Amino acid sequence: MNRYREFHRRSIEAPDEFWRDEAARIHWHTPFDTVLDRSNPPFARWFVGGRTNLCHNAIDRHLAQRAQQDALIYVSTEIGIERRYTYAEMHAEVNRMAAVMRSLGVARGERVLIYLPMIPEAAFAMLACARLGAIHSVVFGGFAAPNLAARIDDAKPALIVTADAGARGGKVIDYAPLIDEALSRAAHKTPHVLLIDRQLTPEKLNAPYLIDYEPLREQFFDAHVPCEWLESNEPSYVLYTSGTTGRPKGVQRDVGGYAVALATSMEYIFEGRPGDTMFTASDIGWVVGHSYIIYAPLIAGLTTVMYEGMPIRPDGGIWWRLVEQHRINLMFTAPTALRVLKKQDPALMKQADLSSLRTLFLAGEPLDEPTATWAAQSLGKPVVDNYWQTETGWPILAIQRGVEALPPKPGSPGVPVYGYDVTLRDEITGEPCAPGEKGVLTLAYPLPPGCMSTVWGDDARFVSTYWAKSGTNGGTNSASNGESGELVYSTFDWGVQDDNGYVTILGRTDDVINIAGHRLGTREIEEALSGHHAVAEVAVVGVTDALKGQVALAFTVLRDADRYASGDARAALEADLAATVDRQLGAIARPARVHVVAMLPKTRSGKLLRRAIAALAEGRDPGDLPTIEDPAALQQIRDALRVAQMR
Ligand code: AMP
C-alpha cells in the first residue's frame, strides 16, 4: 500500500510539482508558465499559458515513429465491415475532414455538433474539430429529436455532422426524420449540415440543406490543415449529461489538462503501452467513448478498436473473437454488457484465444460481485472496476495497477486516484465521515486536470450545482455562501470508505438513475411523459434490475381516468406513454413499465416522495414518512405494483 499512498499523497500535497512532471507526457507547442491557477475558486486553470492541441498529441506526434501502425480498427457487425487506418491514414482523413469543415466556415471556438453512429468518420470529425480548435458536441446517436434540438440551441453550432442512418440489432435507423424534426424545433439556425452517406437507406437523402461529404472529401483529398495551438484552458468539447433538472448540462472540458490527465491514466490505471491494442466497447456519445475510444489510447500511441454492434450479435462470442483476431490487450466496457455475456454459452469464451488480453476494465455503473467474480475467474485476468463521471472525464476511484497492484476489494471500485482529494461527508453538516460511515462522496478544490472547467455558457450553474463550503448550512449538496469550511465538489453519489481507503459506491443522492450504464434524469423522463395529453401528474423512479442495473418505472395520474377504465384502453395508453418517451428522449429512456394510479405520494409541501416509491417498487419498507400528505397514496403504489405482477 505504501507506494500508492505516497504517490497519492504527493499528488494532493504538492500538486504543482506532481502535475508539472506529468505534463511532460504530452507535446507543448509553447510551455506553460503556471501549473495551476487557483485565483478564482471553484474554477481551476491548469497549465496556464501553455499552448497545445489534442489532435496533434493524438495523431501528428506519432507519425515519426508509428505512421504505419494501426491507429483505428473499425468493426461493424451491423453492416459487416472492418476497416483499418494507420496513423498516417488517420492523419490524412482527419486533415480532409478538417479542410472540409474549414471550407464550411468552421473556425477556432465555433461549435460543431456531431450526431453520428459508431463509424470512423465520427473519430475523424472529433479530431478534425480538435485540429481546428473548434469545440465538438457529440450527441449520442440514440437520442431523439427534441433532445437533439435542445443541444443545438444550447451549443449553437456552426455545423452539424450527421449520417444517413445508424444500425442496431440488424435494424437500420433512418436519421433523416430525426434531423429534420430537430432542425425545425431548434430556434438556432445551423448554417450547414454535413452528411456522411453510408448508403444504408434505400432512398438517397435529398433534403436541400444536406451537404454530401464524399465529393468534398475528394476535393480536399490532399489537404493539410495546420493544428491550431490552443491555450491549455480553451474549450475542447462540450458533452451533455443528465442532472436533477430536466435541462441537461453541457460539461465543458479544456485542452491541456485533459490531454495530460488522460496520458497519466493510460500509464497508471490502464497500463497501456505504445503499440498495444485497446477495445473500449462504449459509444462516442458517452464520456467513456470520448476519453477511452478516442483521445486516451491515441494520445498514448495505442491502436483503438471502434465497434458498431451488440455484444451478442451474431452471437455471444463476438467480442472474444475480436480479442483473438486483433490481439487486443486492454478491454473496457460497462458491467451491463458483462452481465449479458455471462448468460451466454461459456464455450463461446473458451473457444477464443484470449492470451493477448491483460486486463478488463469496467465502469459506468456499480459492478456487482457475482459478475466481477465470474469475469475474473473465467478470463483468468484482472478485472479493474473504476468509478468516475462525465464531469471528471477520467477515473476518480480505481486500483491503479501502474502505481501499485493493490488487491481488489469485492464491491468496491478501489481507492482514490492520484489528483483526487476524496472525502465522504455527512449530507447535512458536511463534516467528514468516520470510516464505515455512509456519506456523500466529495472532492476537495481544486479538481485535478481533465475535469470539467464549467457548464457550457453557464458559470453560475457550475458553481451552484456542484460546489459548496463544507461545514455550513446546505451540507454538501448545495452551494452555500458560508465563509468558513473547505470548498468541495459533490459527485452526488453515496459512498462508504473503509480503513484502508477503499470506497464502495452506494447509489446516487439525487434523482439520476443509471440504466445499463446510461445516465438519465428521472425528471427528463417525467417531463416527456407529462407532455402527453392524458397525463395529469407523473413520478419516475429507478428500481434495481438484475440485468440493466436499474430500470425506470413510471407512475402516472390521469386527467380523465374513466376514459381508460377498461383493460384494453389502459394497456393501449400505457404503450402509447412508453412510445412518447421513445419519441422525446429515445428508446434507452423508455420506462420498463408505466403504471396508472389515482394519486402520488407527496409531502405536505407538494414534493414527490420518489425514494418512498422506489422502496415500494423494490419491495422495501419506505420507512417513516412524517411529512406525507396522504398515506393512502402509498397503498395506491402498492396496488398498482401488485396488479402489474399478476398480469
Ligand atoms: P456518467 O456521467 O454517465 O458517466 O455517470 C456517472 C455516474 O455513474 C456516477 O456518478 C455513478 O453514479 C455511476 N458510476 C459510474 N461508474 C461507477 C462505478 N464504477 N461504480 C458505481 N457507480 C458508478
Side-chain angles (χ1 to χ4, degrees):
M1 195 99 197
N2 286 343
R3 201 152 7 111
Y4 156 70
R5 282 230 170 93
E6 174 52 26
F7 191 74
H8 186 265
R9 193 190 54 73
R10 198 169 82 84
S11 76
I12 301 302
E13 287 177 5
D16 288 67
E17 284 139 61
F18 182 91
W19 290 107
R20 177 180 290 115
D21 293 348
E22 295 298 340
R25 293 180 182 279
I26 69 157
H27 170 82
W28 295 92
H29 179 72
T30 313
F32 47 89
D33 31 60
T34 309
V35 178
L36 168 62
D37 166 14
R38 43 166 101 206
S39 61
N40 184 24
F43 300 92
R45 297 169 73 238
W46 287 96
F47 311 119
V48 182
R51 291 190 176 269
T52 186
N53 181 288
L54 277 171
C55 183
H56 177 88
N57 278 286
I59 305 290
D60 301 44
R61 191 168 61 123
H62 301 304
L63 292 177
Q65 280 187 21
R66 49 192 80 252
Q68 297 317 315
Q69 177 194 315
D70 284 336
L72 179 78
I73 299 176
Y74 174 67
V75 179
S76 171
T77 50
E78 291 291 347
I79 55 172
I81 59 165
E82 188 183 308
R83 282 196 209 131
R84 289 163 174 270
Y85 298 87
T86 62
Y87 271 94
E89 286 163 343
M90 188 93 167
H91 181 254
E93 291 293 352
V94 171
N95 271 286
R96 286 166 200 148
M97 180 71 85
V100 170
M101 287 183 175
R102 196 172 55 179
S103 77
L104 295 172
V106 174
R108 179 176 187 158
E110 302 272 8
R111 276 77 55 212
V112 174
L113 189 144
I114 299 175
Y115 185 72
L116 286 175
M118 290 286 283
I119 55 175
E121 286 79 2
F124 306 156
M126 289 166 78
L127 291 161
C129 287
R131 194 168 192 89
L132 293 168
I135 302 163
H136 60 68
S137 162
V138 181
V139 177
F140 174 56
F143 275 143
N147 254 312
L148 186 53
R151 285 154 174 76
I152 293 173
D153 278 339
D154 196 66
K156 302 189 173 49
L159 174 71
I160 295 177
V161 186
T162 191
D164 55 337
R168 190 165 170 78
K171 242 177 66 191
V172 169
I173 302 145
D174 209 341
Y175 277 16
L178 281 164
I179 295 285
D180 266 345
E181 189 189 335
L183 290 176
S184 64
R185 274 175 179 259
H188 170 75
K189 294 299 159 220
T190 308
H192 301 293
V193 181
L194 189 62
L195 175 79
I196 314 293
D197 189 359
R198 308 174 75 191
Q199 310 201 325
L200 293 184
T201 43
E203 282 162 56
K204 182 123 180 74
L205 293 181
N206 56 6
Y209 56 77
L210 288 173
I211 305 165
D212 211 343
Y213 178 59
E214 196 47 41
L216 286 173
R217 177 178 172 273
E218 286 297 319
Q219 188 184 328
F220 292 102
F221 202 79
D222 300 317
H224 182 80
V225 179
C227 288
E228 279 284 331
W229 298 111
L230 303 177
E231 199 278 334
S232 177
N233 295 279
E234 284 182 58
S236 57
Y237 69 75
V238 179
L239 179 59
Y240 290 85
T241 188
S242 302
T244 23
T245 67
R247 200 162 54 93
K249 291 179 284 277
V251 167
Q252 179 179 318
R253 194 95 57 210
D254 69 356
V255 176
Y258 187 50
V260 171
L262 292 182
T264 65
S265 75
M266 288 308 285
E267 167 97 23
Y268 300 125
I269 303 173
F270 295 92
E271 296 184 284
R273 303 171 201 128
D276 277 351
T277 300
M278 181 166 189
F279 171 29
T280 299
S282 178
D283 190 283
I284 44 136
W286 309 121
V287 71
V288 173
H290 279 60
S291 292
Y292 294 101
I293 297 175
I294 307 293
Y295 289 114
L298 295 177
I299 286 172
L302 278 72
T303 301
T304 186
V305 177
M306 186 177 189
Y307 177 73
E308 180 186 47
M310 300 169 85
I312 50 167
R313 256 178 60 96
D315 61 59
I318 177 66
W319 283 7
W320 311 125
R321 290 199 295 280
L322 288 179
V323 171
E324 170 178 323
Q325 205 180 331
H326 300 292
R327 306 298 298 156
I328 288 167
N329 309 107
L330 310 170
M331 198 170 155
F332 189 176
T333 188
T336 293
L338 268 205
R339 287 193 289 268
V340 169
L341 292 175
K342 191 169 129 198
K343 290 167 87 187
Q344 307 297 308
D345 179 357
L348 289 168
M349 190 200 270
K350 289 216 180 73
Q351 280 157 10
D353 171 8
L354 303 179
S355 57
S356 60
L357 188 66
R358 292 201 300 265
T359 319
L360 171 68
F361 297 91
L362 295 170
E365 54 176 327
L367 172 62
D368 54 291
E369 283 184 48
T371 305
T373 311
W374 168 80
Q377 284 177 354
S378 40
L379 289 169
K381 321 270 171 171
V383 173
V384 177
D385 185 6
N386 53 111
Y387 158 87
W388 46 298
Q389 34 185 219
T390 307
E391 288 84 347
T392 64
W394 62 291
I396 303 169
L397 300 172
I399 302 285
Q400 298 135 67
R401 294 174 56 85
V403 180
E404 186 177 355
L406 298 178
K409 175 180 171 181
S412 161
V415 292
V417 167
Y418 54 91
Y420 290 96
D421 190 356
V422 171
T423 308
L424 279 299
R425 290 178 185 274
D426 183 276
E427 187 189 21
I428 308 296
T429 65
E431 291 302 320
C433 298
E437 224 174 68
K438 174 178 167 177
V440 180
L441 199 161
T442 67
L443 308 173
Y445 174 79
L447 299 183
C451 293
M452 77 188 288
S453 334
T454 186
V455 171
W456 171 255
D458 200 345
D459 286 351
R461 195 169 175 204
F462 172 65
V463 178
S464 67
T465 303
Y466 295 104
W467 294 92
K469 286 264 172 81
S470 67
T472 54
N473 288 341
T476 52
N477 266 348
S478 64
S480 81
N481 300 320
E483 292 304 315
S484 64
E486 235 186 297
L487 189 55
V488 295
Y489 166 94
S490 175
T491 59
F492 297 96
D493 280 305
W494 293 112
V496 59
Q497 191 165 28
D498 72 11
D499 286 322
N500 290 322
Y502 286 73
V503 179
T504 301
I505 300 295
L506 303 169
R508 296 281 301 194
T509 66
D510 59 6
D511 294 322
V512 167
I513 59 174
N514 198 316
I515 305 176
H518 299 326
R519 171 168 160 185
L520 289 158
T522 49
R523 284 287 300 278
E524 286 173 78
I525 307 176
E526 285 171 4
E527 282 179 22
L529 285 168
S530 47
H532 191 283
H533 60 86
V535 172
E537 273 187 288
V538 59
V540 171
V541 297
V543 298
T544 312
D545 180 80
L547 192 63
K548 297 182 174 177
Q550 276 188 311
V551 292
L553 288 189
F555 294 85
T556 54
V557 177
L558 302 182
R559 285 183 201 286
D560 181 2
D562 292 345
R563 240 183 94 187
Y564 303 99
S566 79
D568 284 354
R570 181 69 67 85
L573 175 68
E574 288 176 5
D576 192 37
L577 288 171
T580 302
V581 178
D582 280 14
R583 279 193 302 275
Q584 297 281 323
L585 296 174
I588 44 162
R590 182 196 304 163
R593 178 136 214 131
V594 180
H595 297 280
V596 174
V597 290
M599 66 175 144
L600 292 168
K602 287 187 200 160
T603 62
R604 278 188 283 274
S605 58
K607 271 182 84 171
L608 269 174
L609 289 162
R610 288 194 192 79
R611 284 187 207 180
I613 303 176
L616 289 173
E618 290 179 345
R620 291 182 285 115
D621 179 3
D624 266 356
L625 298 165
T627 57
I628 193 165
E629 188 185 16
D630 185 349
L634 294 178
Q635 195 52 42
Q636 285 278 327
I637 302 286
R638 283 196 194 93
D639 290 347
L641 289 163
R642 208 183 45 238
V643 170
Q645 235 171 24
M646 286 181 331
R647 271 195 216 154

